[in-house]
């Protein structure tokens, strides 16, 4: 058996919260699709399973029912608890409580070691009818919100783990340690050691290629591969002309000039401008950029053949929130290695810090893979890229120089041509603070800072005729961008 817990994703936010909490307790957790077959789960040999459901008040579908009879300790959370109960011949009825703060009463169980009865927010609690051999574990008033099976290692709780939730964290730890038998071994050092060993095992003595994009995920992946392979790692940096101010130079200054990695810089600004000529829709821009980038990388890879492995900086956030498929390796004989595939962005930042990557590279704002192209509403031209790059640098620089940036999640500038006079541009400033369940709210920035930003942009870029601030909240990650 492998010392880890698998999380079946019935709800993106819930599965992400559960996984983060377990990893913060130094327990390795990995997310799989909700409909993963029992054979695929058993192949990974986990010590336990968590079914991470949301709080819609309805049973999700798609679970391989054989899991419940497999003997793998399983904890169902949120709506997934109703699903588990139904599959055990019980039933989950109407919603009795929604969005209510109520007192929970815990029965004796290794799941609740260290927990005391107390109040908790219940997003949704339904009436449960328990079948034979299933007994109640937890009550909210007289409503059953938790249960367990007499002989099978099955547990259900009508709760969601929240962002600041010490009781939820302790419950997850109790399940993983007390019930599944996990040990608290997972940390940044353990991840780096395993990643380096795995890269070395797969690539062997052959050459590996890594495309450095300017993002932290690709940089951390490249550095891990460099630790494993040394000069057998060949990196390619395609300068698309779509990055932010000084980004290309800063990336190369660290990875190539300081670390000593073998990086080939490809100047392809004009090729990308030509590929984007006449394109105005965001999806078409992303497609054109992706196709040209893959073509250039294939051209460079062919010059380096034979290649044993391709290193990619895919993160878990990419898997969860990006729908566009990634390009496959150019040959079936080339292994695809994604060292940070299972890490969230904040975990990648922590690993980067542990590995000594400079704070300026770690603390960069999240950036779409299409770069500034999708932050220009309309056709991408060299003049508009220059204008947006300068305005974005001014905005980020002024916020960073003030105390306002410390409480912000993301902040950046966008550009759209003035209708009727496309030689003039409108700059839109966007700054958001994070909330629960991937929500983002427009930040209340100091007026004097904003006034100074507007003045600097208008004086620096003569083609800018207006500067506006976007106050629109976002209910998900993709809504932060204008897409």
């Amino acid at each position: 058996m492998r010392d880890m817990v698998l999380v079946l994703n019935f709800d993106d936010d819930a599965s992400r919260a559960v996984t983060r909490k377990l990893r913060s307790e130094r327990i390795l957790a990995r997310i799989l699709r909700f409909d993963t077959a029992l054979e695929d789960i058993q192949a990974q040999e986990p010590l336990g399973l968590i079914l991470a459901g949301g709080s819609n008040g309805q049973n999700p579908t798609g679970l391989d029912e054989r899991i419940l009879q497999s003997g793998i300790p399983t904890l169902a959370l949120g709506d997934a608890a109703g699903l588990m109960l139904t599959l055990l011949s019980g039933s989950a009825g109407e919603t009795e409580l929604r969005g209510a703060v109520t007192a929970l009463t815990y029965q004796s169980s290794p799941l609740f070691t260290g927990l005391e009865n107390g109040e908790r927010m219940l997003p949704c609690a339904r009436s449960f009818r328990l079948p034979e051999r299933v007994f109640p574990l937890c009550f909210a008033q007289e409503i059953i919100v938790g249960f367990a099976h007499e002989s099978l290692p099955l547990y259900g709780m009508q709760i969601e783990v929240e962002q600041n939730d010490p009781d939820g964290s302790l419950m997850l730890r109790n399940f993983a340690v007390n019930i599944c038998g996990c040990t608290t071994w997972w940390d940044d050092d353990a991840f780096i050691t395993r990643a380096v060993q795995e890269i070395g095992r797969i690539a062997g003595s052959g050459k590996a290629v890594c495309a450095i994009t300017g993002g932290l995920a690709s940089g951390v992946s490249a550095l891990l591969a460099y630790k494993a392979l040394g000069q057998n790692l060949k990196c390619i940096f395609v300068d698309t002309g779509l990055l932010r101010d000084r980004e290309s130079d800063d990336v190369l200054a660290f990875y190539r000039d300081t670390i000593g990695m073998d990086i080939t810089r490809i100047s392809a600004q004009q090729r990308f401008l030509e590929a984007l000529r006449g394109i105005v829709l965001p999806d078409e821009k992303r497609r054109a950029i992706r196709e040209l980038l893959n073509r250039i990388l294939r051209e460079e890879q062919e010059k380096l053949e034979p290649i044993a492995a391709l290193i990619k900086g895919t993160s878990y956030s990419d898997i969860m929130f990006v729908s566009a498929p990634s390009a496959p390796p150019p040959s079936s004989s080339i292994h695809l290695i994604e060292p940070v595939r299972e890490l969230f962005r904040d975990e990648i930042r922590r690993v980067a810090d542990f590995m000594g990557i400079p704070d300026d590279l770690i603390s960069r704002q999240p950036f779409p893979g299409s770069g500034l192209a999708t932050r220009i509403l309309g056709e991408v031209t060299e003049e508009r890229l220059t204008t947006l790059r300068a305005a974005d640098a001014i905005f980020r620089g002024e916020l960073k120089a003030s105390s306002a940036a410390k409480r912000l999640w993301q902040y950046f500038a966008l550009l759209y041509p003035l209708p009727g006079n496309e030689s003039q541009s409108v700059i839109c400033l966007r700054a958001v603070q994070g909330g629960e369940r991937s929500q983002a709210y427009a930040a209340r920035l100091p007026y004097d800072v904003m006034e100074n930003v507007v003045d600097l942009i208008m004086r620096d870029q003569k083609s800018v005729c207006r500067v506006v601030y976007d106050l629109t909240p976002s209910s998900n990650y993709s809504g932060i961008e204008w897409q």
Side-chain angles (χ1 to χ4, degrees):
M1 303 295 285
R2 301 177 67 183
D3 198 342
M4 67 174 178
V5 171
L6 296 180
V7 178
L8 297 193
N9 180 9
F10 288 93
D11 179 89
D12 287 346
D13 291 308
S15 61
R16 185 171 59 251
V18 167
T19 304
R20 286 179 184 275
K21 292 293 185 184
L22 286 169
R23 290 179 181 177
S24 69
E25 295 288 339
R26 302 186 63 201
I27 296 162
L28 176 57
R30 291 175 173 168
I31 299 177
L32 297 180
R33 284 178 52 90
F34 64 91
D35 56 358
T36 302
L38 174 61
E39 290 81 5
D40 295 327
I41 291 171
Q42 290 174 327
Q44 298 203 38
E45 299 182 313
L47 293 180
L49 283 176
I50 294 179
L51 315 182
S55 54
N56 298 318
Q58 296 180 345
N59 291 349
T61 59
L63 179 70
D64 187 336
E65 299 181 22
R66 298 174 298 163
I67 290 172
L68 302 185
Q69 306 296 326
S70 67
I72 303 173
T74 302
L75 171 63
L77 298 176
D79 290 338
L83 170 62
M84 175 184 279
L85 187 65
T86 302
L87 295 177
L88 292 173
S89 300
S91 64
E94 298 296 321
T95 298
E96 299 287 340
L97 294 172
R98 183 176 289 278
V101 177
T102 186
L104 295 189
T105 305
Y106 301 107
Q107 307 300 302
S108 178
S109 169
L111 191 63
F112 304 137
T113 301
L115 286 174
E116 297 181 357
N117 297 338
E119 290 189 339
R120 182 184 179 90
M121 168 65 76
L122 287 181
C124 178
R126 302 159 69 190
S127 59
F128 277 180
R129 182 188 63 79
L130 305 185
E132 292 183 5
R133 306 190 69 187
V134 174
F135 60 91
L137 273 185
C138 180
F139 293 89
Q141 301 171 21
E142 295 183 356
I143 302 171
I144 298 172
V145 296
F147 61 85
H149 196 279
E150 287 183 354
S151 57
L152 298 173
L154 303 177
Y155 302 82
M157 289 290 296
Q158 292 195 77
I159 67 166
E160 280 193 83
V161 177
E162 300 167 3
Q163 188 172 357
N164 300 308
D165 187 0
D167 284 356
S169 295
L170 182 54
M171 190 181 304
L172 292 176
R173 179 188 171 91
N174 286 340
F175 173 72
V177 175
N178 297 347
I179 295 172
C180 301
C182 293
T183 57
T184 53
W185 65 278
W186 177 256
D187 58 15
D188 297 334
D189 189 30
F191 166 77
I192 292 169
T193 299
R194 280 175 44 129
V196 170
Q197 290 174 346
E198 187 70 0
I199 294 169
R201 182 188 68 81
I202 295 174
S205 59
K207 285 189 294 188
V209 173
C210 180
I212 293 182
T213 65
L216 191 60
S218 69
V220 169
S221 297
L223 191 51
L224 289 168
Y226 182 68
K227 287 180 175 291
L229 307 174
Q231 291 305 313
N232 274 347
L233 175 70
K234 308 298 178 182
C235 295
I236 302 170
F237 177 71
V238 180
D239 191 344
T240 63
L242 304 175
L243 296 181
R244 293 168 290 198
D245 187 51
R246 293 189 54 82
E247 212 156 33
S248 299
D249 294 337
D250 290 347
V251 168
L252 291 173
F254 175 69
Y255 294 106
R256 184 187 63 189
D257 302 338
T258 301
I259 299 299
M261 295 167 61
D262 183 350
I263 303 178
T264 300
R265 180 175 186 169
I266 309 298
S267 296
Q269 297 93 327
Q270 291 305 314
R271 291 182 67 176
F272 278 91
L273 281 173
E274 184 61 32
L276 290 166
R277 188 184 306 277
I279 298 177
V280 297
L281 297 178
D283 283 343
E284 292 185 9
K285 289 179 183 179
R286 282 188 285 267
R287 177 190 53 77
I289 292 168
R290 185 171 62 249
E291 289 179 355
L292 178 55
L293 182 60
N294 289 336
R295 189 181 315 133
I296 293 173
L297 290 174
R298 282 195 296 269
E299 294 170 359
E300 295 303 314
Q301 288 165 9
E302 288 173 358
K303 300 175 184 178
L304 297 171
E305 290 182 346
I307 298 169
L310 179 64
I311 312 294
K312 291 194 67 176
T314 306
S315 69
Y316 184 71
S317 300
D318 296 327
I319 300 168
M320 181 175 284
F321 300 112
V322 178
S323 57
S326 59
S331 168
S332 58
S333 63
I334 297 178
H335 298 286
L336 177 62
I337 305 175
E338 298 171 310
V340 298
R341 181 183 178 87
E342 295 177 348
L343 298 188
F344 297 100
R345 285 173 179 154
D346 59 321
E347 294 174 320
I348 295 174
R349 293 190 187 100
R350 198 172 61 238
V351 169
D353 181 62
F354 191 88
M355 297 176 73
I357 294 178
D359 184 64
D360 285 347
L361 294 179
I362 295 173
S363 60
R364 286 182 186 271
Q365 294 289 299
F367 198 47
S370 51
L372 295 176
T374 48
R375 288 182 178 174
I376 294 175
L377 279 67
E379 183 179 3
V380 178
T381 66
E382 189 169 2
E383 294 75 17
R384 288 171 182 171
L385 282 169
T386 299
T387 299
L388 178 56
R389 188 177 289 112
D392 183 73
I394 289 170
F395 184 44
R396 289 186 296 111
E398 291 301 304
L399 287 186
K400 194 171 181 179
S402 72
S403 59
K406 296 178 180 178
R407 55 188 175 84
L408 299 179
W409 185 9
Q410 290 188 44
Y411 48 97
F412 54 88
L414 306 104
L415 178 151
Y416 56 96
L418 185 68
N421 183 4
E422 294 199 352
S423 65
Q424 297 286 293
S425 298
V426 177
I427 292 293
C428 176
L429 306 177
R430 181 85 159 129
V432 296
Q433 295 172 285
E436 293 285 346
R437 297 185 66 83
S438 308
Q439 293 175 331
Y441 303 94
R444 297 183 178 183
L445 299 178
Y447 188 79
D448 57 337
V449 173
M450 294 295 287
E451 191 174 45
N452 190 45
V453 168
V454 173
D455 181 60
L456 289 172
I457 291 174
M458 296 288 287
R459 286 196 286 114
D460 185 69
Q461 297 296 312
K462 302 304 181 184
S463 64
V464 176
C465 62
R466 290 284 188 277
V467 180
V468 299
Y469 183 57
D470 183 2
L471 290 169
T472 311
S474 169
S475 60
N476 54 55
Y477 288 103
S478 60
I480 297 173
E481 300 281 344
W482 278 29
Q483 299 182 35

